[in-house]
Amino acid sequence: MERNLTLIVLFAALIVVLGLVPAIPLGFGVPITMQSLGVMLAGAVLGSWRGALAVVLVQFLVALGLPVLAGGRGGLGIFVGPTAGFLIGWLPAAFVTGLVVERVRALPVAVAAGIGSVLGGIVVMYALGIAGFWLFKNAALQPGDTPMSLWAATLIMAPFIPGDLVKAVLAGLIARTIARYRPSALIARF
C-alpha cells in the first residue's frame, strides 16, 4: 500500500515538474506543454488505476488553485477554459494508456507503452480536448457570430499531433529503460 501511494505521488510530482518546462503559447489558447508526457508515463509505468490516481492528485492540486500547470496556471477557472477538455482528458488518457500496457504483455515494453501512449495519450486525450475546446469556443459566441464546427476545432489541434507522437515514443523508451533497470517499478506489466 505504501509503495503504491509513493509511486502515485512520485508520478503526480513528475507531471507537475514537467509543467516547469516552458510552455509554447499558441494564439488560440492551447499551449504546447510537456505535461502530457507525464500523463502517458503515469499510465505506462503505474498501470491504469495507479496512473489515473496520479492524474487525479494533480487535478486536485489544480482545483485547489496551486500553480502546477505549465505556465504556473491553476484554479477552478482552468476547468472551464479552452484547455479544460485536455485537463479533464488526462484522467482517461492515463487510464487507457495503462490498460493497454497491462493487456498487451506479449509485446516488448517499449512497443506496448508506445501503443498505449498513442491510444490513451493522443486519441483519448484529443477526443476530450477537442470537444472541450469546441464547446468553449461556441459557448463564448456573441449574437450573430458563426459557430465553430467540430471539424474546425479538430484542424486547429492537428499541429500538436506530431509533437505528441514524439512524446509517445519517448514514453515507450522511458518505460523500457525503467523495465530494464528497475523492473519492480513497472507496475503496469505485473
Side-chain angles (χ1 to χ4, degrees), residues 101-112:
V101 174
E102 292 165 358
R103 297 291 188 252
V104 292
R105 295 174 188 229
L107 294 177
V109 172
V111 175

Side-chain angles (χ1 to χ4, degrees), residues 18-36 69-73 83 156-157 159-160 163-164 167:
L18 287 171
L20 296 175
V21 176
I24 301 169
L26 299 178
F28 48 87
V30 180
I32 297 173
T33 73
M34 290 300 291
Q35 286 184 299
S36 56
L69 294 178
R73 298 172 305 128
T83 61
I156 288 171
M157 297 302 160
F160 292 98
D164 282 333
K167 292 177 202 174

Side-chain angles (χ1 to χ4, degrees), residues 19 28 45 53 72 82 92 99 107 111 127 132 141 147-148 150 153 171 174 185-186 188:
F28 48 87
V45 174
L53 287 172
L99 190 64
L107 294 177
V111 175
L141 290 177
M148 175 183 279
L150 192 54
I174 293 167
L186 195 66

Side-chain angles (χ1 to χ4, degrees), residues 36-37 146:
S36 56
L37 173 61
T146 304

Side-chain angles (χ1 to χ4, degrees), residues 28-66:
F28 48 87
V30 180
I32 297 173
T33 73
M34 290 300 291
Q35 286 184 299
S36 56
L37 173 61
V39 172
M40 292 176 193
L41 283 169
V45 174
L46 298 182
S48 55
W49 288 105
R50 292 173 195 90
L53 287 172
V55 169
V56 166
L57 179 55
V58 174
Q59 290 173 331
F60 178 70
L61 296 174
V62 171
L64 286 177
L66 297 176

